[in-house]
Amino acid sequence: MQEYLFTLGRKPLLSVAELLSVFPKSALKDFNQNIATLELDEPTDGFQGTLNRLGGIRKIARYLGEFSPELLIETIEKIHTDKEKKVIFSASTEN
């Protein structure tokens, strides 16, 4: 299981209830007005299909941890094995 961050919509409690309904085997680690953190297995169809089903969620991200700029670059290089494709990542200070 991995930690994932979900950017909540206008009604945070409803968004969290929706997440727990869609991911019944997940563990809610934390949430506030903006972000919910769940520990769960990645859906077999990836998250794009899941995001399309979740009306109250704006973004989904896998939590990798807290990094210095140097360690962030090293981590991206480590998980980005296909050098022919663009790497898509986001660094955020939302809390």
Side-chain angles (χ1 to χ4, degrees):
M1 290 194 141
Q2 298 233 354
E3 278 190 38
Y4 291 90
L5 307 172
F6 296 84
T7 303
L8 306 175
R10 291 179 303 175
K11 307 242 185 226
L13 290 177
L14 186 58
S15 296
V16 170
E18 181 180 35
L19 283 171
L20 296 175
S21 173
V22 170
F23 301 111
K25 295 181 181 176
S26 68
L28 179 63
K29 304 284 281 183
D30 192 20
F31 80 95
N32 60 32
Q33 289 295 105
N34 301 313
I35 302 285
T37 305
L38 274 73
E39 191 171 278
L40 55 100
D41 292 321
E42 182 174 341
T44 54
D45 63 344
F47 279 108
Q48 188 57 51
T50 302
L51 186 57
N52 292 340
R53 290 185 324 189
L54 293 168
I57 301 300
R58 297 186 321 211
K59 288 191 237 175
I60 302 173
R62 185 173 70 180
Y63 180 75
L64 297 175
E66 296 179 20
F67 298 96
S68 66
E70 296 82 16
L71 187 56
L72 179 61
I73 291 168
E74 182 182 317
T75 302
I76 291 169
E77 288 174 345
K78 203 179 290 183
I79 63 174
H80 181 59
T81 57
D82 188 350
K83 302 300 180 195
E84 297 297 315
K85 293 184 178 178
K86 291 192 289 186
V87 62
I88 299 171
F89 77 96
S90 173
S92 179
T93 60
E94 292 184 57
N95 52 359

mmCIF file of all heavy atoms in Angstrom, residues 24-67:
data_model
loop_
_atom_site.group_PDB
_atom_site.id
_atom_site.type_symbol
_atom_site.label_atom_id
_atom_site.label_comp_id
_atom_site.label_asym_id
_atom_site.label_seq_id
_atom_site.Cartn_x
_atom_site.Cartn_y
_atom_site.Cartn_z
ATOM 1 N N PRO A 24 -13.058 1.356 -0.190
ATOM 2 C CA PRO A 24 -13.461 0.854 1.125
ATOM 3 C C PRO A 24 -12.334 0.153 1.899
ATOM 4 O O PRO A 24 -12.378 0.084 3.118
ATOM 5 C CB PRO A 24 -14.596 -0.120 0.804
ATOM 6 C CG PRO A 24 -14.399 -0.500 -0.614
ATOM 7 C CD PRO A 24 -13.748 0.674 -1.274
ATOM 8 N N LYS A 25 -11.315 -0.328 1.201
ATOM 9 C CA LYS A 25 -10.207 -1.011 1.880
ATOM 10 C C LYS A 25 -9.055 -0.069 2.204
ATOM 11 O O LYS A 25 -7.997 -0.498 2.631
ATOM 12 C CB LYS A 25 -9.698 -2.164 1.014
ATOM 13 C CG LYS A 25 -10.730 -3.253 0.838
ATOM 14 C CD LYS A 25 -10.197 -4.379 -0.001
ATOM 15 C CE LYS A 25 -11.275 -5.438 -0.170
ATOM 16 N NZ LYS A 25 -10.863 -6.516 -1.042
ATOM 17 N N SER A 26 -9.263 1.211 1.999
ATOM 18 C CA SER A 26 -8.205 2.191 2.255
ATOM 19 C C SER A 26 -8.178 2.577 3.726
ATOM 20 O O SER A 26 -9.119 2.329 4.475
ATOM 21 C CB SER A 26 -8.432 3.443 1.407
ATOM 22 O OG SER A 26 -9.589 4.121 1.849
ATOM 23 N N ALA A 27 -7.076 3.208 4.111
ATOM 24 C CA ALA A 27 -6.938 3.745 5.461
ATOM 25 C C ALA A 27 -6.804 5.260 5.348
ATOM 26 O O ALA A 27 -5.872 5.754 4.707
ATOM 27 C CB ALA A 27 -5.709 3.155 6.144
ATOM 28 N N LEU A 28 -7.747 5.985 5.942
ATOM 29 C CA LEU A 28 -7.678 7.443 5.954
ATOM 30 C C LEU A 28 -6.618 7.851 6.963
ATOM 31 O O LEU A 28 -6.760 7.617 8.158
ATOM 32 C CB LEU A 28 -9.043 8.039 6.317
ATOM 33 C CG LEU A 28 -9.118 9.555 6.382
ATOM 34 C CD1 LEU A 28 -8.837 10.183 5.025
ATOM 35 C CD2 LEU A 28 -10.480 9.996 6.900
ATOM 36 N N LYS A 29 -5.526 8.447 6.464
ATOM 37 C CA LYS A 29 -4.418 8.824 7.338
ATOM 38 C C LYS A 29 -4.623 10.210 7.951
ATOM 39 O O LYS A 29 -4.307 10.423 9.100
ATOM 40 C CB LYS A 29 -3.095 8.812 6.560
ATOM 41 C CG LYS A 29 -2.774 7.503 5.874
ATOM 42 C CD LYS A 29 -2.312 6.468 6.814
ATOM 43 C CE LYS A 29 -0.878 6.722 7.135
ATOM 44 N NZ LYS A 29 -0.255 5.775 7.976
ATOM 45 N N ASP A 30 -5.157 11.124 7.122
ATOM 46 C CA ASP A 30 -5.304 12.505 7.583
ATOM 47 C C ASP A 30 -6.159 13.261 6.570
ATOM 48 O O ASP A 30 -6.247 12.874 5.415
ATOM 49 C CB ASP A 30 -3.919 13.166 7.673
ATOM 50 C CG ASP A 30 -3.944 14.495 8.406
ATOM 51 O OD1 ASP A 30 -4.896 14.752 9.163
ATOM 52 O OD2 ASP A 30 -3.004 15.288 8.223
ATOM 53 N N PHE A 31 -6.798 14.330 7.011
ATOM 54 C CA PHE A 31 -7.459 15.241 6.085
ATOM 55 C C PHE A 31 -7.681 16.587 6.742
ATOM 56 O O PHE A 31 -7.723 16.706 7.965
ATOM 57 C CB PHE A 31 -8.765 14.656 5.529
ATOM 58 C CG PHE A 31 -9.959 14.762 6.435
ATOM 59 C CD1 PHE A 31 -10.838 15.825 6.304
ATOM 60 C CD2 PHE A 31 -10.210 13.806 7.390
ATOM 61 C CE1 PHE A 31 -11.948 15.929 7.114
ATOM 62 C CE2 PHE A 31 -11.316 13.896 8.208
ATOM 63 C CZ PHE A 31 -12.189 14.959 8.072
ATOM 64 N N ASN A 32 -7.765 17.605 5.884
ATOM 65 C CA ASN A 32 -8.106 18.950 6.333
ATOM 66 C C ASN A 32 -9.053 19.541 5.296
ATOM 67 O O ASN A 32 -9.633 18.807 4.508
ATOM 68 C CB ASN A 32 -6.839 19.795 6.557
ATOM 69 C CG ASN A 32 -6.003 19.962 5.305
ATOM 70 O OD1 ASN A 32 -6.514 20.000 4.181
ATOM 71 N ND2 ASN A 32 -4.696 20.050 5.480
ATOM 72 N N GLN A 33 -9.204 20.833 5.249
ATOM 73 C CA GLN A 33 -10.144 21.458 4.317
ATOM 74 C C GLN A 33 -9.727 21.293 2.852
ATOM 75 O O GLN A 33 -10.549 21.428 1.957
ATOM 76 C CB GLN A 33 -10.280 22.951 4.622
ATOM 77 C CG GLN A 33 -11.022 23.238 5.918
ATOM 78 C CD GLN A 33 -12.462 22.788 5.850
ATOM 79 O OE1 GLN A 33 -12.825 21.785 6.428
ATOM 80 N NE2 GLN A 33 -13.280 23.519 5.130
ATOM 81 N N ASN A 34 -8.439 21.010 2.606
ATOM 82 C CA ASN A 34 -7.924 20.982 1.243
ATOM 83 C C ASN A 34 -7.491 19.607 0.752
ATOM 84 O O ASN A 34 -7.647 19.299 -0.422
ATOM 85 C CB ASN A 34 -6.718 21.926 1.110
ATOM 86 C CG ASN A 34 -7.065 23.348 1.460
ATOM 87 O OD1 ASN A 34 -8.063 23.872 1.000
ATOM 88 N ND2 ASN A 34 -6.260 23.968 2.299
ATOM 89 N N ILE A 35 -6.903 18.804 1.625
ATOM 90 C CA ILE A 35 -6.237 17.562 1.225
ATOM 91 C C ILE A 35 -6.669 16.405 2.122
ATOM 92 O O ILE A 35 -6.794 16.560 3.325
ATOM 93 C CB ILE A 35 -4.701 17.707 1.364
ATOM 94 C CG1 ILE A 35 -4.173 18.860 0.527
ATOM 95 C CG2 ILE A 35 -3.973 16.415 1.031
ATOM 96 C CD1 ILE A 35 -4.094 18.615 -0.935
ATOM 97 N N ALA A 36 -6.854 15.242 1.505
ATOM 98 C CA ALA A 36 -7.044 13.999 2.262
ATOM 99 C C ALA A 36 -5.904 13.064 1.888
ATOM 100 O O ALA A 36 -5.491 12.996 0.725
ATOM 101 C CB ALA A 36 -8.378 13.347 1.920
ATOM 102 N N THR A 37 -5.379 12.359 2.876
ATOM 103 C CA THR A 37 -4.305 11.390 2.644
ATOM 104 C C THR A 37 -4.854 10.011 2.956
ATOM 105 O O THR A 37 -5.338 9.765 4.058
ATOM 106 C CB THR A 37 -3.100 11.686 3.552
ATOM 107 O OG1 THR A 37 -2.689 13.031 3.351
ATOM 108 C CG2 THR A 37 -1.949 10.743 3.255
ATOM 109 N N LEU A 38 -4.786 9.126 1.959
ATOM 110 C CA LEU A 38 -5.254 7.754 2.122
ATOM 111 C C LEU A 38 -4.120 6.792 1.814
ATOM 112 O O LEU A 38 -3.287 7.058 0.947
ATOM 113 C CB LEU A 38 -6.407 7.424 1.163
ATOM 114 C CG LEU A 38 -7.821 7.769 1.607
ATOM 115 C CD1 LEU A 38 -8.045 9.241 1.547
ATOM 116 C CD2 LEU A 38 -8.819 7.032 0.772
ATOM 117 N N GLU A 39 -4.102 5.689 2.514
ATOM 118 C CA GLU A 39 -3.178 4.606 2.213
ATOM 119 C C GLU A 39 -3.988 3.542 1.485
ATOM 120 O O GLU A 39 -4.988 3.050 2.015
ATOM 121 C CB GLU A 39 -2.583 4.055 3.495
ATOM 122 C CG GLU A 39 -1.429 3.119 3.260
ATOM 123 C CD GLU A 39 -0.745 2.767 4.554
ATOM 124 O OE1 GLU A 39 0.099 3.567 5.014
ATOM 125 O OE2 GLU A 39 -1.072 1.697 5.088
ATOM 126 N N LEU A 40 -3.583 3.223 0.261
ATOM 127 C CA LEU A 40 -4.345 2.267 -0.542
ATOM 128 C C LEU A 40 -3.493 1.689 -1.655
ATOM 129 O O LEU A 40 -2.405 2.175 -1.940
ATOM 130 C CB LEU A 40 -5.597 2.940 -1.138
ATOM 131 C CG LEU A 40 -5.390 4.201 -1.965
ATOM 132 C CD1 LEU A 40 -5.435 3.885 -3.442
ATOM 133 C CD2 LEU A 40 -6.483 5.197 -1.630
ATOM 134 N N ASP A 41 -4.009 0.626 -2.276
ATOM 135 C CA ASP A 41 -3.386 0.050 -3.455
ATOM 136 C C ASP A 41 -3.859 0.824 -4.674
ATOM 137 O O ASP A 41 -5.021 1.225 -4.742
ATOM 138 C CB ASP A 41 -3.777 -1.425 -3.614
ATOM 139 C CG ASP A 41 -3.189 -2.287 -2.512
ATOM 140 O OD1 ASP A 41 -2.025 -2.044 -2.121
ATOM 141 O OD2 ASP A 41 -3.887 -3.199 -2.040
ATOM 142 N N GLU A 42 -2.970 1.009 -5.642
ATOM 143 C CA GLU A 42 -3.360 1.718 -6.868
ATOM 144 C C GLU A 42 -4.382 0.889 -7.626
ATOM 145 O O GLU A 42 -4.237 -0.322 -7.757
ATOM 146 C CB GLU A 42 -2.136 1.951 -7.754
ATOM 147 C CG GLU A 42 -2.470 2.723 -9.003
ATOM 148 C CD GLU A 42 -1.248 3.084 -9.817
ATOM 149 O OE1 GLU A 42 -0.130 3.057 -9.285
ATOM 150 O OE2 GLU A 42 -1.432 3.400 -10.991
ATOM 151 N N PRO A 43 -5.455 1.530 -8.107
ATOM 152 C CA PRO A 43 -6.444 0.794 -8.888
ATOM 153 C C PRO A 43 -5.798 0.173 -10.126
ATOM 154 O O PRO A 43 -4.862 0.735 -10.691
ATOM 155 C CB PRO A 43 -7.458 1.865 -9.297
ATOM 156 C CG PRO A 43 -7.227 3.006 -8.377
ATOM 157 C CD PRO A 43 -5.798 2.939 -7.950
ATOM 158 N N THR A 44 -6.288 -0.995 -10.532
ATOM 159 C CA THR A 44 -5.699 -1.694 -11.676
ATOM 160 C C THR A 44 -5.821 -0.889 -12.957
ATOM 161 O O THR A 44 -4.996 -1.013 -13.849
ATOM 162 C CB THR A 44 -6.349 -3.070 -11.865
ATOM 163 O OG1 THR A 44 -7.767 -2.893 -11.950
ATOM 164 C CG2 THR A 44 -6.023 -3.993 -10.719
ATOM 165 N N ASP A 45 -6.832 -0.045 -13.067
ATOM 166 C CA ASP A 45 -6.997 0.776 -14.267
ATOM 167 C C ASP A 45 -6.329 2.146 -14.131
ATOM 168 O O ASP A 45 -6.548 3.030 -14.942
ATOM 169 C CB ASP A 45 -8.474 0.938 -14.612
ATOM 170 C CG ASP A 45 -9.260 1.677 -13.533
ATOM 171 O OD1 ASP A 45 -8.758 1.810 -12.399
ATOM 172 O OD2 ASP A 45 -10.378 2.122 -13.821
ATOM 173 N N GLY A 46 -5.519 2.321 -13.109
ATOM 174 C CA GLY A 46 -4.865 3.600 -12.874
ATOM 175 C C GLY A 46 -5.822 4.598 -12.249
ATOM 176 O O GLY A 46 -6.964 4.278 -11.928
ATOM 177 N N PHE A 47 -5.356 5.803 -12.067
ATOM 178 C CA PHE A 47 -6.167 6.794 -11.377
ATOM 179 C C PHE A 47 -6.984 7.683 -12.298
ATOM 180 O O PHE A 47 -7.872 8.373 -11.846
ATOM 181 C CB PHE A 47 -5.298 7.659 -10.464
ATOM 182 C CG PHE A 47 -5.003 7.007 -9.162
ATOM 183 C CD1 PHE A 47 -3.739 6.520 -8.886
ATOM 184 C CD2 PHE A 47 -5.985 6.856 -8.212
ATOM 185 C CE1 PHE A 47 -3.468 5.908 -7.686
ATOM 186 C CE2 PHE A 47 -5.732 6.243 -6.999
ATOM 187 C CZ PHE A 47 -4.457 5.772 -6.735
ATOM 188 N N GLN A 48 -6.692 7.697 -13.592
ATOM 189 C CA GLN A 48 -7.453 8.577 -14.469
ATOM 190 C C GLN A 48 -8.932 8.188 -14.490
ATOM 191 O O GLN A 48 -9.809 9.038 -14.376
ATOM 192 C CB GLN A 48 -6.900 8.586 -15.893
ATOM 193 C CG GLN A 48 -7.564 9.632 -16.773
ATOM 194 C CD GLN A 48 -7.453 11.045 -16.213
ATOM 195 O OE1 GLN A 48 -6.369 11.498 -15.865
ATOM 196 N NE2 GLN A 48 -8.561 11.757 -16.111
ATOM 197 N N GLY A 49 -9.217 6.895 -14.610
ATOM 198 C CA GLY A 49 -10.607 6.445 -14.572
ATOM 199 C C GLY A 49 -11.258 6.749 -13.234
ATOM 200 O O GLY A 49 -12.420 7.147 -13.169
ATOM 201 N N THR A 50 -10.493 6.590 -12.171
ATOM 202 C CA THR A 50 -11.003 6.875 -10.829
ATOM 203 C C THR A 50 -11.298 8.360 -10.673
ATOM 204 O O THR A 50 -12.331 8.737 -10.130
ATOM 205 C CB THR A 50 -9.979 6.428 -9.764
ATOM 206 O OG1 THR A 50 -9.727 5.035 -9.942
ATOM 207 C CG2 THR A 50 -10.487 6.678 -8.375
ATOM 208 N N LEU A 51 -10.399 9.201 -11.161
ATOM 209 C CA LEU A 51 -10.610 10.645 -11.058
ATOM 210 C C LEU A 51 -11.868 11.060 -11.820
ATOM 211 O O LEU A 51 -12.617 11.921 -11.364
ATOM 212 C CB LEU A 51 -9.394 11.398 -11.591
ATOM 213 C CG LEU A 51 -9.395 12.920 -11.436
ATOM 214 C CD1 LEU A 51 -9.549 13.330 -9.971
ATOM 215 C CD2 LEU A 51 -8.123 13.505 -12.002
ATOM 216 N N ASN A 52 -12.122 10.413 -12.937
ATOM 217 C CA ASN A 52 -13.331 10.721 -13.707
ATOM 218 C C ASN A 52 -14.598 10.353 -12.939
ATOM 219 O O ASN A 52 -15.640 10.972 -13.133
ATOM 220 C CB ASN A 52 -13.312 9.994 -15.056
ATOM 221 C CG ASN A 52 -12.233 10.517 -15.974
ATOM 222 O OD1 ASN A 52 -11.735 11.627 -15.804
ATOM 223 N ND2 ASN A 52 -11.843 9.711 -16.942
ATOM 224 N N ARG A 53 -14.521 9.334 -12.071
ATOM 225 C CA ARG A 53 -15.691 8.918 -11.284
ATOM 226 C C ARG A 53 -15.894 9.745 -10.031
ATOM 227 O O ARG A 53 -16.983 9.776 -9.469
ATOM 228 C CB ARG A 53 -15.540 7.446 -10.848
ATOM 229 C CG ARG A 53 -15.662 6.467 -11.952
ATOM 230 C CD ARG A 53 -15.631 5.064 -11.431
ATOM 231 N NE ARG A 53 -14.720 4.956 -10.297
ATOM 232 C CZ ARG A 53 -14.342 3.827 -9.733
ATOM 233 N NH1 ARG A 53 -14.802 2.703 -10.167
ATOM 234 N NH2 ARG A 53 -13.516 3.809 -8.719
ATOM 235 N N LEU A 54 -14.854 10.391 -9.556
ATOM 236 C CA LEU A 54 -14.923 11.148 -8.299
ATOM 237 C C LEU A 54 -15.299 12.597 -8.577
ATOM 238 O O LEU A 54 -14.480 13.388 -9.026
ATOM 239 C CB LEU A 54 -13.579 11.101 -7.568
ATOM 240 C CG LEU A 54 -13.150 9.741 -7.034
ATOM 241 C CD1 LEU A 54 -11.691 9.778 -6.609
ATOM 242 C CD2 LEU A 54 -14.032 9.312 -5.882
ATOM 243 N N GLY A 55 -16.526 12.966 -8.294
ATOM 244 C CA GLY A 55 -16.980 14.326 -8.554
ATOM 245 C C GLY A 55 -16.413 15.354 -7.595
ATOM 246 O O GLY A 55 -16.264 16.516 -7.943
ATOM 247 N N GLY A 56 -16.076 14.952 -6.385
ATOM 248 C CA GLY A 56 -15.618 15.896 -5.370
ATOM 249 C C GLY A 56 -14.114 15.940 -5.193
ATOM 250 O O GLY A 56 -13.619 16.502 -4.230
ATOM 251 N N ILE A 57 -13.355 15.367 -6.120
ATOM 252 C CA ILE A 57 -11.900 15.349 -6.027
ATOM 253 C C ILE A 57 -11.320 16.063 -7.243
ATOM 254 O O ILE A 57 -11.700 15.800 -8.372
ATOM 255 C CB ILE A 57 -11.366 13.898 -5.969
ATOM 256 C CG1 ILE A 57 -11.948 13.153 -4.772
ATOM 257 C CG2 ILE A 57 -9.838 13.873 -5.940
ATOM 258 C CD1 ILE A 57 -11.635 13.759 -3.414
ATOM 259 N N ARG A 58 -10.389 16.975 -6.995
ATOM 260 C CA ARG A 58 -9.807 17.747 -8.104
ATOM 261 C C ARG A 58 -8.490 17.178 -8.610
ATOM 262 O O ARG A 58 -8.192 17.268 -9.795
ATOM 263 C CB ARG A 58 -9.619 19.195 -7.678
ATOM 264 C CG ARG A 58 -10.954 19.852 -7.357
ATOM 265 C CD ARG A 58 -10.811 21.310 -7.071
ATOM 266 N NE ARG A 58 -9.602 21.570 -6.286
ATOM 267 C CZ ARG A 58 -9.475 22.547 -5.419
ATOM 268 N NH1 ARG A 58 -10.439 23.366 -5.215
ATOM 269 N NH2 ARG A 58 -8.357 22.723 -4.754
ATOM 270 N N LYS A 59 -7.658 16.630 -7.718
ATOM 271 C CA LYS A 59 -6.362 16.080 -8.111
ATOM 272 C C LYS A 59 -6.050 14.859 -7.255
ATOM 273 O O LYS A 59 -6.494 14.761 -6.111
ATOM 274 C CB LYS A 59 -5.227 17.086 -7.865
ATOM 275 C CG LYS A 59 -5.177 18.253 -8.776
ATOM 276 C CD LYS A 59 -3.861 18.994 -8.568
ATOM 277 C CE LYS A 59 -4.120 20.427 -8.204
ATOM 278 N NZ LYS A 59 -2.928 21.170 -7.874
ATOM 279 N N ILE A 60 -5.240 13.958 -7.830
ATOM 280 C CA ILE A 60 -4.741 12.795 -7.105
ATOM 281 C C ILE A 60 -3.233 12.756 -7.295
ATOM 282 O O ILE A 60 -2.733 12.930 -8.409
ATOM 283 C CB ILE A 60 -5.346 11.481 -7.629
ATOM 284 C CG1 ILE A 60 -6.871 11.507 -7.539
ATOM 285 C CG2 ILE A 60 -4.781 10.281 -6.863
ATOM 286 C CD1 ILE A 60 -7.550 10.313 -8.192
ATOM 287 N N ALA A 61 -2.490 12.518 -6.215
ATOM 288 C CA ALA A 61 -1.031 12.438 -6.290
ATOM 289 C C ALA A 61 -0.527 11.337 -5.373
ATOM 290 O O ALA A 61 -1.102 11.100 -4.309
ATOM 291 C CB ALA A 61 -0.414 13.770 -5.881
ATOM 292 N N ARG A 62 0.535 10.679 -5.796
ATOM 293 C CA ARG A 62 1.186 9.697 -4.914
ATOM 294 C C ARG A 62 2.172 10.461 -4.045
ATOM 295 O O ARG A 62 2.953 11.269 -4.530
ATOM 296 C CB ARG A 62 1.914 8.637 -5.733
ATOM 297 C CG ARG A 62 2.483 7.540 -4.846
ATOM 298 C CD ARG A 62 3.048 6.422 -5.661
ATOM 299 N NE ARG A 62 4.259 6.914 -6.306
ATOM 300 C CZ ARG A 62 5.013 6.189 -7.099
ATOM 301 N NH1 ARG A 62 4.667 4.965 -7.411
ATOM 302 N NH2 ARG A 62 6.103 6.697 -7.628
ATOM 303 N N TYR A 63 2.123 10.207 -2.757
ATOM 304 C CA TYR A 63 3.015 10.881 -1.811
ATOM 305 C C TYR A 63 4.356 10.162 -1.806
ATOM 306 O O TYR A 63 4.431 8.972 -1.524
ATOM 307 C CB TYR A 63 2.396 10.869 -0.403
ATOM 308 C CG TYR A 63 3.263 11.549 0.616
ATOM 309 C CD1 TYR A 63 3.368 12.932 0.660
ATOM 310 C CD2 TYR A 63 3.985 10.810 1.541
ATOM 311 C CE1 TYR A 63 4.163 13.566 1.587
ATOM 312 C CE2 TYR A 63 4.785 11.436 2.482
ATOM 313 C CZ TYR A 63 4.868 12.805 2.498
ATOM 314 O OH TYR A 63 5.659 13.421 3.428
ATOM 315 N N LEU A 64 5.409 10.885 -2.154
ATOM 316 C CA LEU A 64 6.748 10.306 -2.169
ATOM 317 C C LEU A 64 7.549 10.686 -0.937
ATOM 318 O O LEU A 64 8.511 10.010 -0.603
ATOM 319 C CB LEU A 64 7.504 10.755 -3.426
ATOM 320 C CG LEU A 64 6.907 10.308 -4.755
ATOM 321 C CD1 LEU A 64 7.692 10.919 -5.908
ATOM 322 C CD2 LEU A 64 6.891 8.798 -4.857
ATOM 323 N N GLY A 65 7.200 11.769 -0.285
ATOM 324 C CA GLY A 65 7.911 12.193 0.904
ATOM 325 C C GLY A 65 8.339 13.642 0.800
ATOM 326 O O GLY A 65 7.980 14.351 -0.134
ATOM 327 N N GLU A 66 9.137 14.053 1.762
ATOM 328 C CA GLU A 66 9.671 15.413 1.779
ATOM 329 C C GLU A 66 11.106 15.340 1.280
ATOM 330 O O GLU A 66 11.867 14.468 1.679
ATOM 331 C CB GLU A 66 9.599 15.980 3.188
ATOM 332 C CG GLU A 66 8.172 16.121 3.667
ATOM 333 C CD GLU A 66 8.068 16.663 5.080
ATOM 334 O OE1 GLU A 66 9.037 17.286 5.560
ATOM 335 O OE2 GLU A 66 7.020 16.461 5.684
ATOM 336 N N PHE A 67 11.458 16.268 0.389
ATOM 337 C CA PHE A 67 12.742 16.188 -0.289
ATOM 338 C C PHE A 67 13.452 17.525 -0.333
ATOM 339 O O PHE A 67 12.824 18.569 -0.442
ATOM 340 C CB PHE A 67 12.540 15.758 -1.751
ATOM 341 C CG PHE A 67 11.932 14.404 -1.914
ATOM 342 C CD1 PHE A 67 10.574 14.255 -2.114
ATOM 343 C CD2 PHE A 67 12.726 13.279 -1.882
ATOM 344 C CE1 PHE A 67 10.010 13.009 -2.281
ATOM 345 C CE2 PHE A 67 12.174 12.023 -2.042
ATOM 346 C CZ PHE A 67 10.821 11.885 -2.245
#
